[in-house]
Amino acid sequence: MRSMLKTSVAAFAMLAAAMGAASADGLTGNLKIFLDTSNPAPRATMEELIAQFQEKNPELNIETTVIDREAYKTQIRNFLTANAPDVATWYAANRMRPYVEAGLFEDVSDLWAEPEIADNLASTKGAMTIDGKQWGVPYTYYQWGVYYRKDIFDELGLSEPTTWEEEKANCQKIIDAGKKCYTIGTKFLWTAGGWFDYLNMRTNGFDFHMDLLTGKASWKSDEVRKTFANWRELIDMGAFIDNHQTYSWQEALPFMVKGDAAAYLMGNFAVAPLREAGLSDDQIDFYQFVEITPGIAKAEDAPTDTFHIPANAENKENAREFLKFAVSPDVQTWINDGKHLGQLPVNAKSSVDDDKFLEQGFEMLSSNSPGGVAQFFDRDAPAEMAKVAMEGLQEFMVKPDNLDKILDRLDRAQERIYK
């Protein structure tokens, strides 16, 4: 799906007044923005954000293109090369590396030298840095963890686990009650990557995990085999829903909504559809993925979504002003609140919305993730390696006896991709 829209000043005048929009900053000319935020809530939020910027700059001609997220991934290199927009959404860390190395993203280190960004976005600077330079700005990030049916836990006398043994003990009681421990949909592969992220980071630590995803550690190592051994304990128990390879992550939600599965390892974006499906906050809760290897510092997946200025953009100064606006404290507060993205602001001066899941995520990422913050499997690994590896992860969940063949295949892919 691809659509074009022109932001309308009049249509959003009331919203702008409520947000306290300033008078015109005097920007003129054009600003072309490409977005991959095609799902309804993110799309509406981005439209409001752009409308706010339009209110501040009424003489600016803004043109916005929204592209379906999966299509965006296949089109980005083409549109960055020819007919580039002035601003484009993408992702942090290694997911932006190919476009940085190809000279397709603008160096915006000058923005990061300004105190308002340098001081208030310091926690995300590493994710935006390659070769000592910054190549974009973040606009949101969010926690991953285990979202679970608290009412089912209460019915079965279960409490939130903190260790691997407690996790498995809970799971066995859930299975004995005729339910699955976890729902998951692996049709589009990346959800299996989330499970591997956590199992590997909890088994071997953040540094080893990042070494593996950047080609510095071997898929055939004893450490990786231990991660898969831990995963297989759950698979052999029958912990996951059947036929998960036929479901998207959204299609797997009803298993939790109906109570056929007790939990979902997922990002915080799952909360809104669970609520919309009828579950109350009394029925849903959240816990941090448990410790597996004692003494290994906990690391978390906290994917960071970003804005970039293409190197071939025609209106880079207007684009820089838009990036500064998007990361300002007030804007960060409202675009990430529970009525909009339902995620966490990247600006330290912003406020976290009064939402128990956002509050728990903020607390977890701020004070209980000393091991580090990963961006997610298919963002931390190069795209080609991520695809091959996640195909192997999905296969392992369906046919765990194929592990040796899978690891051989991943080892060969690693040698080819990282040579």
Side-chain angles (χ1 to χ4, degrees):
M1 178 181 67
R2 184 180 177 99
S3 63
M4 297 290 293
L5 58 98
K6 258 304 182 47
T7 55
S8 167
V9 177
F12 292 95
M14 186 176 298
L15 171 65
M19 289 298 301
S23 59
D25 286 345
L27 296 182
T28 59
N30 299 310
L31 182 66
K32 185 164 66 172
I33 303 173
F34 276 19
L35 305 172
D36 68 347
T37 51
S38 55
N39 289 336
R43 176 174 179 154
T45 300
M46 290 297 103
E47 290 177 2
E48 289 184 24
L49 171 68
I50 293 166
Q52 284 291 312
F53 191 66
Q54 179 79 86
E55 279 291 326
K56 289 172 65 67
N57 300 281
E59 300 303 315
L60 186 64
N61 179 47
I62 303 178
E63 183 181 276
T64 306
T65 300
V66 181
I67 303 172
D68 177 81
R69 176 161 287 199
E70 294 304 315
Y72 193 100
K73 294 175 183 177
T74 63
Q75 295 176 22
I76 182 171
R77 183 174 289 273
N78 289 337
F79 69 64
L80 289 177
T81 303
N83 195 30
D86 302 308
V87 174
T89 51
W90 195 238
Y91 313 111
N94 278 331
R95 283 298 296 277
M96 68 180 183
R97 182 178 292 276
Y99 308 110
V100 171
E101 293 180 343
L104 295 173
F105 279 162
E106 175 87 352
D107 175 2
V108 294
S109 301
D110 55 307
L111 296 183
W112 287 86
E114 298 181 13
E116 280 298 306
I117 290 181
D119 296 340
N120 298 330
L121 274 64
S123 64
T124 60
K125 185 176 182 180
M128 304 308 305
T129 301
I130 293 176
D131 296 333
K133 300 176 182 178
Q134 290 74 54
W135 303 93
V137 298
Y139 66 85
T140 188
Y141 76 145
Y142 57 90
Q143 81 270 17
W144 270 63
V146 182
Y147 295 83
Y148 72 98
R149 286 287 300 270
K150 187 176 186 303
D151 53 343
I152 294 176
F153 271 47
D154 290 345
E155 178 186 336
L156 298 178
L158 306 178
S159 57
E160 292 185 0
T162 59
T163 68
W164 187 235
E165 294 307 315
E166 291 172 356
E167 181 80 29
K168 291 185 293 182
N170 276 2
C171 186
Q172 188 60 59
K173 291 179 181 178
I174 293 166
I175 292 170
D176 291 345
K179 303 177 185 297
K180 294 294 186 179
C181 307
Y182 316 106
T183 189
I184 185 173
T186 63
K187 181 164 66 175
F188 294 115
L189 304 177
W190 56 268
T191 48
W195 270 95
F196 183 84
D197 279 351
Y198 274 98
L199 288 163
N200 198 40
M201 288 192 293
R202 292 294 191 268
T203 302
N204 299 305
F206 177 81
D207 290 342
F208 177 84
H209 183 67
M210 297 308 298
D211 283 349
L212 180 67
L213 268 56
T214 55
K216 299 173 185 175
S218 171
W219 280 94
K220 299 179 77 173
S221 65
D222 291 342
E223 290 89 347
V224 170
R225 288 185 178 276
K226 179 60 176 174
T227 295
F228 280 104
N230 288 331
W231 201 351
R232 182 155 187 173
E233 289 185 291
L234 298 180
I235 294 169
D236 288 348
M237 290 173 68
F240 299 96
I241 63 169
D242 297 330
N243 301 314
H244 52 78
Q245 71 274 18
T246 67
Y247 302 115
S248 68
W249 78 267
Q250 296 99 324
E251 291 167 340
L253 285 166
F255 291 93
M256 184 170 169
V257 173
K258 295 176 182 178
D260 296 324
Y264 207 165
L265 175 64
M266 188 50 65
N268 197 60
F269 52 81
V271 171
L274 289 172
R275 287 169 170 162
E276 291 164 3
L279 295 181
S280 71
D281 283 4
D282 291 334
Q283 293 175 287
I284 319 168
D285 214 334
F286 170 89
Y287 64 85
Q288 188 173 18
F289 199 97
V290 299
E291 176 186 81
I292 295 181
T293 302
I296 286 185
K298 289 182 179 177
E300 300 299 322
D301 271 339
T304 304
D305 293 346
T306 52
F307 284 123
H308 301 267
I309 301 174
N312 294 327
E314 295 182 354
N315 304 287
K316 293 181 181 180
E317 291 311 307
N318 287 344
R320 277 175 162 78
E321 291 302 316
F322 179 79
L323 265 57
K324 289 194 287 186
F325 176 75
V327 300
S328 59
D330 290 346
V331 170
Q332 278 294 299
T333 294
W334 74 261
I335 69 170
N336 285 292
D337 68 22
K339 296 178 181 178
H340 293 92
L341 296 180
Q343 299 184 168
L344 298 173
V346 299
N347 192 304
K349 288 187 176 179
S350 300
S351 300
V352 178
D353 198 37
D354 183 16
D355 176 284
K356 76 173 188 177
F357 298 104
L358 294 179
E359 290 170 350
Q360 288 182 73
F362 184 78
E363 173 66 21
M364 179 182 74
L365 293 174
S366 299
S367 62
N368 200 26
S369 56
V373 174
Q375 288 300 302
F376 199 75
F377 191 97
D378 64 352
R379 301 187 185 192
D380 288 321
E384 184 180 358
M385 188 69 216
K387 180 179 184 298
V388 175
M390 290 190 301
E391 289 171 350
L393 301 180
Q394 183 209 54
E395 180 182 346
F396 173 75
M397 291 190 71
V398 178
K399 299 178 180 179
D401 287 341
N402 286 3
L403 179 60
D404 287 340
K405 294 180 180 178
I406 293 168
L407 294 182
D408 283 341
R409 190 163 68 243
L410 299 190
D411 186 63
R412 291 195 301 272
Q414 186 179 57
E415 289 184 1
R416 182 183 74 253
I417 292 166
Y418 293 101
K419 65 181 180 180

